[in-house]
Amino acid sequence: MQQQLSELEIIEHINNRQCFTATIIGGAFTLKIAEYLPAMSAAIHDGGNLRASLSENCLLDQTSRYYEEDPYTGSFIQEQAITLIAHDSRYEYDLNRNTQECVYETAWGKDIWQTPLTSEETNESKAKHAQFYRIVAAIVEALVEDFGQCIVYDNHSYNYKRHERQDLPVFNLGTSSVKSDKWRPVIERWLHDLQSMQVDGIDVTAAENDIFYGKGYLAGFCHGKYDNVLVLATETKKVFMDELTGAPDSVVLPSLQTQYNNTVAKHTQWYISEFKN
């Protein structure tokens, strides 16, 4: 059984540079640190959990919520040394919005709640959001302290059938919140590595700021707070599943899981050996 730790225990483990895997008490996310490297991988929309009191009041069934979530993105990074994978649905609180705006009343043109959430319910969701970002800060600050700088692989997926364009990239890297040109070689290398992926069943394409621009809160939080942290906000087109039914593609998904993990590891090693030094 996965060990459960409190926020204070997780932060103490980080401050003591312990290697561990733990789920936060309450189950909102799991943090794994197998080795301290200047790179963290996150999947903040991987989960679909909705606490019982909200589930009873939600107008959207699990299938409808699943459509706007990012299933399998946690598996794209699970082999990395440091992973932070969220388990709660973005409909409970969206980790890619700021704390004050993370709880939806409506989303993507749909009402979410049968009756408006109470202030207590909203505050509970906001508290879980704020807690997550305290953990992000603890990790990033430890890595910057140890290595001088670090990168964060911020992994998402996107629905493409709703768009009229037929040439949408398999991978979109959003960089609009990156403040310094010093990161350009790291960005270019990541785009190159994405483009070079050999995934069964699809032709891989990669683009920068094509359909998404990296304006989410994880990127904004890190880029706004730290000068020596680069967030690589990467969206994967849902070619690995049927975005309407949720069914995984038996050919593309396992290949992509393997190739993505390998590509993150390769880019991290390049960053450590060629750029950071």
Side-chain angles (χ1 to χ4, degrees), residues 180-198:
S180 174
D181 289 339
K182 74 178 182 179
W183 296 112
R184 179 46 50 182
V186 184
I187 291 167
E188 295 292 346
R189 180 70 182 209
W190 180 234
L191 285 166
H192 171 270
D193 288 349
L194 290 171
Q195 181 69 62
S196 299
M197 254 192 246
Q198 300 292 316

Side-chain angles (χ1 to χ4, degrees), residues 25-269:
I25 291 173
F29 58 84
T30 297
L31 171 62
K32 177 190 75 176
I33 302 181
E35 180 183 1
Y36 283 84
L37 298 175
M40 175 180 78
S41 297
I44 66 175
H45 288 156
D46 181 74
N49 295 342
L50 200 63
R51 64 183 188 268
S53 61
L54 297 185
S55 182
E56 296 165 0
N57 188 32
C58 188
L59 291 168
L60 303 178
D61 61 17
Q62 189 171 9
T63 301
S64 298
R65 297 196 302 270
Y66 196 71
Y67 178 73
E68 298 295 353
E69 293 161 351
D70 296 348
Y72 302 109
T73 50
S75 69
F76 296 168
I77 58 169
Q78 65 185 8
E79 303 300 326
Q80 306 314 307
I82 303 176
T83 62
L84 184 59
I85 299 175
H87 305 311
D88 290 339
S89 174
R90 67 192 307 182
Y91 285 98
E92 184 169 331
Y93 52 96
D94 193 334
L95 288 167
N96 228 14
R97 290 187 168 201
N98 66 52
T99 303
Q100 293 308 309
E101 299 176 331
C102 70
V103 180
Y104 294 119
E105 294 179 6
T106 62
W108 295 280
K110 297 178 180 179
D111 293 330
I112 309 301
W113 312 111
Q114 296 181 53
T115 58
L117 298 183
T118 65
S119 58
E120 290 80 7
E121 289 172 325
T122 299
N123 288 338
E124 183 175 347
S125 294
K126 289 181 177 180
K128 294 172 83 172
H129 180 284
Q131 180 183 63
F132 181 89
Y133 276 95
R134 289 194 295 271
I135 298 298
V136 169
I139 300 165
V140 166
E141 288 169 13
L143 300 183
V144 170
E145 181 179 329
D146 288 356
F147 302 103
Q149 56 180 255
C150 73
I151 52 179
V152 177
Y153 299 94
D154 176 21
N155 302 281
H156 299 267
S157 62
Y158 76 95
N159 298 309
Y160 63 94
K161 293 179 181 178
R162 59 169 41 140
H163 298 279
E164 293 184 4
R165 276 181 57 192
Q166 301 298 309
D167 61 341
L168 294 170
V170 172
F171 300 110
N172 181 96
L173 175 60
T175 60
S176 67
S177 67
V178 178
K179 293 186 296 185
S180 174
D181 289 339
K182 74 178 182 179
W183 296 112
R184 179 46 50 182
V186 184
I187 291 167
E188 295 292 346
R189 180 70 182 209
W190 180 234
L191 285 166
H192 171 270
D193 288 349
L194 290 171
Q195 181 69 62
S196 299
M197 254 192 246
Q198 300 292 316
V199 179
D200 295 341
I202 60 170
D203 294 323
V204 172
T205 54
E208 183 178 359
N209 298 326
D210 186 324
I211 182 170
F212 299 101
Y213 303 93
K215 295 182 179 180
Y217 187 63
L218 179 56
F221 174 84
C222 291
H223 291 153
K225 193 174 175 68
Y226 308 107
D227 290 333
N228 292 324
V229 179
L230 170 66
V231 178
L232 295 166
T234 308
E235 298 269 355
T236 303
K237 190 178 184 181
K238 286 186 178 177
V239 291
F240 53 87
M241 62 183 290
D242 186 319
E243 67 185 50
L244 301 178
T245 68
D249 188 293
S250 62
V251 173
V252 177
L253 179 59
S255 179
L256 181 58
Q257 288 167 326
T258 298
Q259 292 300 316
Y260 202 100
N261 271 289
N262 290 345
T263 299
V264 174
K266 180 174 73 171
H267 184 263
T268 298
Q269 287 305 310

